[in-house]
Amino acid sequence: MLTLIFVFINIPWLLIFINMQLGPEPPRPEITYGEFPITLVYELKGERKEIKDAVICEFDGFGANEATGKFREWKMKLESGQEEITLLRIDDSEQIYSPSGFCHYYMDDLSEGVSYDPASLKAALLVKRGGSVMTSRISEKELFDKYNIKLISSDFSQPITNSYK
């Protein structure tokens, strides 16, 4: 009886797994590497600062999950070697950063009907506690009132036009 219940509960997951393994992979991207310059100008406590960096995207094969099936994976890093574009390091576990976008956007690999603008998210708070990382948006008003940071301009590269075959 327990075996029957176990099989009944797990059959849908097994079928999903088999379908993901046997299903076709998405088309490969024609362009598999790109560098996308970013310039960010801001004031921190009245002092003008400028950050120039670049998002580097590289095709990293295919992944799969039960929610979306198979998908293209991209590796992303910043040219500077930093993990984020940090505006202010509050302490070892908290920092204010400017999100730099993501490779699905830059490499023209957004799902149909999805739009994204990297400049729309101005700043965020990143908190590391133990092994977990949490991020939350910060409004420009809170950014100035609480951290004395004023964003002046941000220039993000436009995505490429890619094709998938």
Side-chain angles (χ1 to χ4, degrees):
M1 182 66 169
L2 287 176
T3 304
L4 186 59
I5 292 171
F6 179 79
V7 168
F8 183 73
I9 289 172
N10 288 303
I11 286 263
W13 295 108
L14 180 61
L15 292 174
I16 289 170
F17 176 77
I18 290 170
N19 186 44
M20 283 193 306
Q21 297 306 313
L22 297 177
E25 289 184 342
R28 289 185 62 81
E30 184 175 299
I31 302 170
T32 59
Y33 179 88
E35 295 185 15
F36 304 91
I38 295 171
T39 302
L40 184 66
V41 180
Y42 65 103
E43 285 183 5
L44 174 61
K45 299 178 182 169
E47 183 182 337
R48 187 179 177 98
K49 298 190 176 269
E50 181 178 90
I51 296 174
K52 289 183 180 247
D53 210 332
V55 173
I56 299 172
C57 299
E58 188 171 4
F59 179 64
D60 195 30
F62 299 99
N65 65 37
E66 57 277 347
T68 58
K70 291 186 177 180
F71 55 88
R72 287 175 287 275
E73 290 189 327
W74 298 92
K75 284 191 290 189
M76 179 178 145
K77 64 183 180 180
L78 292 174
E79 185 177 59
S80 65
Q82 300 296 314
E83 290 183 32
E84 295 92 15
I85 298 175
T86 303
L87 304 177
L88 174 66
R89 186 167 304 283
I90 299 166
D91 59 35
D92 288 342
S93 64
E94 293 186 23
Q95 66 179 332
I96 306 297
Y97 76 103
S98 177
S100 54
F102 62 105
C103 288
H104 285 276
Y105 164 75
Y106 288 117
M107 299 304 289
D108 191 24
D109 193 17
L110 291 177
S111 299
E112 193 167 321
V114 174
S115 63
Y116 176 77
D117 176 11
S120 66
L121 180 55
K122 305 288 186 193
L125 173 66
L126 180 119
V127 179
K128 296 178 182 178
R129 299 266 193 260
S132 65
V133 176
M134 298 183 329
T135 60
S136 58
R137 292 183 136 189
I138 299 177
S139 70
E140 288 190 63
K141 180 176 177 9
E142 180 183 3
L143 192 62
F144 185 75
D145 292 346
K146 191 170 182 180
Y147 302 102
N148 204 2
I149 297 172
K150 179 182 177 187
L151 297 175
I152 297 170
S153 67
S154 56
D155 184 24
F156 292 86
S157 295
Q158 293 297 308
I160 63 169
T161 299
N162 210 345
S163 70
Y164 296 89
K165 299 177 182 181

mmCIF file of all heavy atoms in Angstrom, residues 27 29-31 36 57 72 74 102-112 114 158-164:
data_model
loop_
_atom_site.group_PDB
_atom_site.id
_atom_site.type_symbol
_atom_site.label_atom_id
_atom_site.label_comp_id
_atom_site.label_asym_id
_atom_site.label_seq_id
_atom_site.Cartn_x
_atom_site.Cartn_y
_atom_site.Cartn_z
ATOM 1 N N PRO A 27 17.101 26.592 -29.297
ATOM 2 C CA PRO A 27 18.131 26.895 -30.296
ATOM 3 C C PRO A 27 19.355 27.563 -29.652
ATOM 4 O O PRO A 27 19.229 28.306 -28.680
ATOM 5 C CB PRO A 27 17.440 27.859 -31.253
ATOM 6 C CG PRO A 27 15.996 27.777 -30.944
ATOM 7 C CD PRO A 27 15.855 27.275 -29.553
ATOM 8 N N PRO A 29 22.391 30.269 -29.410
ATOM 9 C CA PRO A 29 22.522 31.661 -29.857
ATOM 10 C C PRO A 29 23.603 31.789 -30.932
ATOM 11 O O PRO A 29 24.619 31.085 -30.883
ATOM 12 C CB PRO A 29 22.938 32.403 -28.579
ATOM 13 C CG PRO A 29 23.582 31.365 -27.724
ATOM 14 C CD PRO A 29 22.914 30.067 -28.052
ATOM 15 N N GLU A 30 23.365 32.650 -31.894
ATOM 16 C CA GLU A 30 24.372 32.913 -32.917
ATOM 17 C C GLU A 30 25.549 33.656 -32.285
ATOM 18 O O GLU A 30 26.707 33.362 -32.562
ATOM 19 C CB GLU A 30 23.761 33.751 -34.047
ATOM 20 C CG GLU A 30 24.719 33.975 -35.187
ATOM 21 C CD GLU A 30 24.050 34.701 -36.334
ATOM 22 O OE1 GLU A 30 23.073 34.164 -36.886
ATOM 23 O OE2 GLU A 30 24.516 35.802 -36.659
ATOM 24 N N ILE A 31 25.256 34.629 -31.430
ATOM 25 C CA ILE A 31 26.295 35.386 -30.727
ATOM 26 C C ILE A 31 26.347 34.853 -29.300
ATOM 27 O O ILE A 31 25.335 34.875 -28.587
ATOM 28 C CB ILE A 31 25.998 36.901 -30.740
ATOM 29 C CG1 ILE A 31 25.882 37.392 -32.182
ATOM 30 C CG2 ILE A 31 27.072 37.672 -29.976
ATOM 31 C CD1 ILE A 31 25.347 38.804 -32.315
ATOM 32 N N PHE A 36 29.288 44.802 -22.367
ATOM 33 C CA PHE A 36 28.322 45.892 -22.360
ATOM 34 C C PHE A 36 28.740 46.946 -21.334
ATOM 35 O O PHE A 36 28.532 46.783 -20.135
ATOM 36 C CB PHE A 36 26.925 45.341 -22.052
ATOM 37 C CG PHE A 36 26.520 44.256 -23.012
ATOM 38 C CD1 PHE A 36 26.789 42.926 -22.743
ATOM 39 C CD2 PHE A 36 25.923 44.583 -24.214
ATOM 40 C CE1 PHE A 36 26.453 41.929 -23.641
ATOM 41 C CE2 PHE A 36 25.579 43.592 -25.122
ATOM 42 C CZ PHE A 36 25.843 42.261 -24.836
ATOM 43 N N CYS A 57 28.943 38.898 -20.748
ATOM 44 C CA CYS A 57 28.009 37.770 -20.842
ATOM 45 C C CYS A 57 28.584 36.714 -21.764
ATOM 46 O O CYS A 57 29.107 37.036 -22.830
ATOM 47 C CB CYS A 57 26.661 38.237 -21.410
ATOM 48 S SG CYS A 57 25.838 39.476 -20.401
ATOM 49 N N ARG A 72 18.272 28.519 -22.141
ATOM 50 C CA ARG A 72 19.674 28.875 -22.330
ATOM 51 C C ARG A 72 20.209 29.475 -21.028
ATOM 52 O O ARG A 72 19.531 30.259 -20.373
ATOM 53 C CB ARG A 72 19.819 29.887 -23.477
ATOM 54 C CG ARG A 72 19.618 29.276 -24.851
ATOM 55 C CD ARG A 72 19.657 30.315 -25.956
ATOM 56 N NE ARG A 72 18.459 31.131 -25.963
ATOM 57 C CZ ARG A 72 17.321 30.793 -26.586
ATOM 58 N NH1 ARG A 72 17.246 29.660 -27.252
ATOM 59 N NH2 ARG A 72 16.285 31.579 -26.539
ATOM 60 N N TRP A 74 23.400 31.673 -19.164
ATOM 61 C CA TRP A 74 24.437 32.658 -19.445
ATOM 62 C C TRP A 74 25.269 32.882 -18.198
ATOM 63 O O TRP A 74 24.727 32.948 -17.103
ATOM 64 C CB TRP A 74 23.801 33.988 -19.870
ATOM 65 C CG TRP A 74 23.000 33.894 -21.123
ATOM 66 C CD1 TRP A 74 21.658 33.646 -21.221
ATOM 67 C CD2 TRP A 74 23.476 34.020 -22.455
ATOM 68 N NE1 TRP A 74 21.275 33.623 -22.542
ATOM 69 C CE2 TRP A 74 22.374 33.846 -23.321
ATOM 70 C CE3 TRP A 74 24.731 34.266 -23.010
ATOM 71 C CZ2 TRP A 74 22.495 33.925 -24.701
ATOM 72 C CZ3 TRP A 74 24.850 34.336 -24.389
ATOM 73 C CH2 TRP A 74 23.737 34.164 -25.218
ATOM 74 N N PHE A 102 21.073 41.930 -16.591
ATOM 75 C CA PHE A 102 21.386 40.512 -16.658
ATOM 76 C C PHE A 102 21.517 40.077 -18.112
ATOM 77 O O PHE A 102 21.046 40.738 -19.028
ATOM 78 C CB PHE A 102 20.371 39.677 -15.869
ATOM 79 C CG PHE A 102 18.952 39.764 -16.361
ATOM 80 C CD1 PHE A 102 18.395 38.713 -17.069
ATOM 81 C CD2 PHE A 102 18.167 40.880 -16.115
ATOM 82 C CE1 PHE A 102 17.089 38.779 -17.526
ATOM 83 C CE2 PHE A 102 16.860 40.953 -16.561
ATOM 84 C CZ PHE A 102 16.321 39.896 -17.278
ATOM 85 N N CYS A 103 22.189 38.962 -18.303
ATOM 86 C CA CYS A 103 22.579 38.542 -19.655
ATOM 87 C C CYS A 103 21.406 38.227 -20.569
ATOM 88 O O CYS A 103 21.500 38.472 -21.772
ATOM 89 C CB CYS A 103 23.526 37.350 -19.580
ATOM 90 S SG CYS A 103 25.165 37.831 -18.970
ATOM 91 N N HIS A 104 20.310 37.712 -20.045
ATOM 92 C CA HIS A 104 19.174 37.438 -20.929
ATOM 93 C C HIS A 104 18.712 38.733 -21.609
ATOM 94 O O HIS A 104 18.289 38.712 -22.762
ATOM 95 C CB HIS A 104 18.019 36.797 -20.144
ATOM 96 C CG HIS A 104 18.283 35.364 -19.807
ATOM 97 N ND1 HIS A 104 18.025 34.337 -20.672
ATOM 98 C CD2 HIS A 104 18.815 34.796 -18.714
ATOM 99 C CE1 HIS A 104 18.366 33.193 -20.128
ATOM 100 N NE2 HIS A 104 18.862 33.451 -18.925
ATOM 101 N N TYR A 105 18.816 39.861 -20.906
ATOM 102 C CA TYR A 105 18.478 41.160 -21.493
ATOM 103 C C TYR A 105 19.526 41.559 -22.538
ATOM 104 O O TYR A 105 19.200 41.816 -23.696
ATOM 105 C CB TYR A 105 18.386 42.225 -20.402
ATOM 106 C CG TYR A 105 18.412 43.639 -20.925
ATOM 107 C CD1 TYR A 105 17.292 44.182 -21.548
ATOM 108 C CD2 TYR A 105 19.552 44.433 -20.812
ATOM 109 C CE1 TYR A 105 17.316 45.481 -22.048
ATOM 110 C CE2 TYR A 105 19.580 45.724 -21.297
ATOM 111 C CZ TYR A 105 18.464 46.243 -21.918
ATOM 112 O OH TYR A 105 18.487 47.526 -22.408
ATOM 113 N N TYR A 106 20.791 41.606 -22.124
ATOM 114 C CA TYR A 106 21.847 42.089 -23.010
ATOM 115 C C TYR A 106 22.015 41.226 -24.265
ATOM 116 O O TYR A 106 22.337 41.725 -25.321
ATOM 117 C CB TYR A 106 23.189 42.167 -22.271
ATOM 118 C CG TYR A 106 23.251 43.292 -21.266
ATOM 119 C CD1 TYR A 106 23.400 43.036 -19.916
ATOM 120 C CD2 TYR A 106 23.170 44.618 -21.680
ATOM 121 C CE1 TYR A 106 23.465 44.068 -18.993
ATOM 122 C CE2 TYR A 106 23.234 45.663 -20.771
ATOM 123 C CZ TYR A 106 23.382 45.371 -19.414
ATOM 124 O OH TYR A 106 23.436 46.397 -18.518
ATOM 125 N N MET A 107 21.805 39.918 -24.126
ATOM 126 C CA MET A 107 22.029 39.003 -25.246
ATOM 127 C C MET A 107 20.753 38.737 -26.043
ATOM 128 O O MET A 107 20.686 37.790 -26.818
ATOM 129 C CB MET A 107 22.637 37.692 -24.745
ATOM 130 C CG MET A 107 23.989 37.861 -24.063
ATOM 131 S SD MET A 107 25.254 38.684 -25.048
ATOM 132 C CE MET A 107 25.617 37.435 -26.257
ATOM 133 N N ASP A 108 19.732 39.577 -25.855
ATOM 134 C CA ASP A 108 18.484 39.489 -26.620
ATOM 135 C C ASP A 108 17.821 38.125 -26.443
ATOM 136 O O ASP A 108 17.400 37.493 -27.394
ATOM 137 C CB ASP A 108 18.758 39.769 -28.103
ATOM 138 C CG ASP A 108 17.491 39.949 -28.929
ATOM 139 O OD1 ASP A 108 16.445 40.315 -28.358
ATOM 140 O OD2 ASP A 108 17.547 39.721 -30.148
ATOM 141 N N ASP A 109 17.737 37.693 -25.170
ATOM 142 C CA ASP A 109 17.199 36.368 -24.877
ATOM 143 C C ASP A 109 16.049 36.447 -23.862
ATOM 144 O O ASP A 109 15.846 35.528 -23.075
ATOM 145 C CB ASP A 109 18.319 35.461 -24.340
ATOM 146 C CG ASP A 109 17.934 33.997 -24.305
ATOM 147 O OD1 ASP A 109 16.955 33.622 -24.982
ATOM 148 O OD2 ASP A 109 18.613 33.229 -23.598
ATOM 149 N N LEU A 110 15.308 37.545 -23.873
ATOM 150 C CA LEU A 110 14.146 37.658 -22.980
ATOM 151 C C LEU A 110 12.994 36.831 -23.540
ATOM 152 O O LEU A 110 12.832 36.729 -24.759
ATOM 153 C CB LEU A 110 13.693 39.113 -22.846
ATOM 154 C CG LEU A 110 14.629 40.056 -22.088
ATOM 155 C CD1 LEU A 110 14.078 41.478 -22.117
ATOM 156 C CD2 LEU A 110 14.836 39.588 -20.657
ATOM 157 N N SER A 111 12.212 36.265 -22.660
ATOM 158 C CA SER A 111 11.029 35.526 -23.091
ATOM 159 C C SER A 111 10.076 36.472 -23.810
ATOM 160 O O SER A 111 10.052 37.680 -23.531
ATOM 161 C CB SER A 111 10.312 34.919 -21.885
ATOM 162 O OG SER A 111 11.169 34.025 -21.224
ATOM 163 N N GLU A 112 9.290 35.923 -24.710
ATOM 164 C CA GLU A 112 8.350 36.736 -25.476
ATOM 165 C C GLU A 112 7.388 37.453 -24.529
ATOM 166 O O GLU A 112 6.869 36.873 -23.580
ATOM 167 C CB GLU A 112 7.558 35.844 -26.429
ATOM 168 C CG GLU A 112 6.808 36.645 -27.460
ATOM 169 C CD GLU A 112 6.288 35.767 -28.583
ATOM 170 O OE1 GLU A 112 6.999 34.850 -29.001
ATOM 171 O OE2 GLU A 112 5.156 36.042 -29.021
ATOM 172 N N VAL A 114 8.185 39.800 -22.456
ATOM 173 C CA VAL A 114 8.891 40.319 -21.286
ATOM 174 C C VAL A 114 9.729 41.508 -21.715
ATOM 175 O O VAL A 114 10.437 41.454 -22.723
ATOM 176 C CB VAL A 114 9.803 39.234 -20.651
ATOM 177 C CG1 VAL A 114 10.639 39.815 -19.521
ATOM 178 C CG2 VAL A 114 8.978 38.064 -20.167
ATOM 179 N N GLN A 158 22.824 49.157 -24.688
ATOM 180 C CA GLN A 158 21.624 48.543 -25.244
ATOM 181 C C GLN A 158 21.912 47.071 -25.523
ATOM 182 O O GLN A 158 23.050 46.695 -25.758
ATOM 183 C CB GLN A 158 21.213 49.249 -26.539
ATOM 184 C CG GLN A 158 20.751 50.675 -26.324
ATOM 185 C CD GLN A 158 19.512 50.726 -25.464
ATOM 186 O OE1 GLN A 158 18.525 50.056 -25.740
ATOM 187 N NE2 GLN A 158 19.569 51.512 -24.396
ATOM 188 N N PRO A 159 20.880 46.240 -25.530
ATOM 189 C CA PRO A 159 21.104 44.825 -25.855
ATOM 190 C C PRO A 159 21.482 44.668 -27.326
ATOM 191 O O PRO A 159 21.177 45.520 -28.147
ATOM 192 C CB PRO A 159 19.755 44.175 -25.567
ATOM 193 C CG PRO A 159 18.756 45.280 -25.660
ATOM 194 C CD PRO A 159 19.477 46.528 -25.244
ATOM 195 N N ILE A 160 22.142 43.563 -27.625
ATOM 196 C CA ILE A 160 22.463 43.247 -29.011
ATOM 197 C C ILE A 160 21.213 42.683 -29.686
ATOM 198 O O ILE A 160 20.209 42.407 -29.022
ATOM 199 C CB ILE A 160 23.610 42.213 -29.107
ATOM 200 C CG1 ILE A 160 23.179 40.886 -28.462
ATOM 201 C CG2 ILE A 160 24.879 42.754 -28.508
ATOM 202 C CD1 ILE A 160 24.118 39.737 -28.741
ATOM 203 N N THR A 161 21.277 42.533 -30.983
ATOM 204 C CA THR A 161 20.245 41.786 -31.701
ATOM 205 C C THR A 161 20.859 40.427 -31.999
ATOM 206 O O THR A 161 21.849 40.345 -32.728
ATOM 207 C CB THR A 161 19.837 42.510 -32.997
ATOM 208 O OG1 THR A 161 19.311 43.802 -32.649
ATOM 209 C CG2 THR A 161 18.788 41.714 -33.758
ATOM 210 N N ASN A 162 20.319 39.408 -31.392
ATOM 211 C CA ASN A 162 20.857 38.060 -31.531
ATOM 212 C C ASN A 162 19.863 37.199 -32.270
ATOM 213 O O ASN A 162 18.678 37.536 -32.343
ATOM 214 C CB ASN A 162 21.116 37.469 -30.136
ATOM 215 C CG ASN A 162 22.262 36.477 -30.105
ATOM 216 O OD1 ASN A 162 22.707 36.000 -31.142
ATOM 217 N ND2 ASN A 162 22.735 36.176 -28.907
ATOM 218 N N SER A 163 20.305 36.114 -32.851
ATOM 219 C CA SER A 163 19.358 35.167 -33.442
ATOM 220 C C SER A 163 19.688 33.794 -32.880
ATOM 221 O O SER A 163 20.813 33.513 -32.469
ATOM 222 C CB SER A 163 19.433 35.181 -34.967
ATOM 223 O OG SER A 163 20.639 34.629 -35.420
ATOM 224 N N TYR A 164 18.694 32.963 -32.867
ATOM 225 C CA TYR A 164 18.791 31.646 -32.244
ATOM 226 C C TYR A 164 18.429 30.592 -33.276
ATOM 227 O O TYR A 164 17.345 30.602 -33.832
ATOM 228 C CB TYR A 164 17.886 31.593 -31.012
ATOM 229 C CG TYR A 164 18.372 32.589 -29.975
ATOM 230 C CD1 TYR A 164 17.932 33.900 -29.965
ATOM 231 C CD2 TYR A 164 19.322 32.200 -29.042
ATOM 232 C CE1 TYR A 164 18.409 34.813 -29.040
ATOM 233 C CE2 TYR A 164 19.812 33.097 -28.120
ATOM 234 C CZ TYR A 164 19.363 34.401 -28.110
ATOM 235 O OH TYR A 164 19.850 35.293 -27.201
#
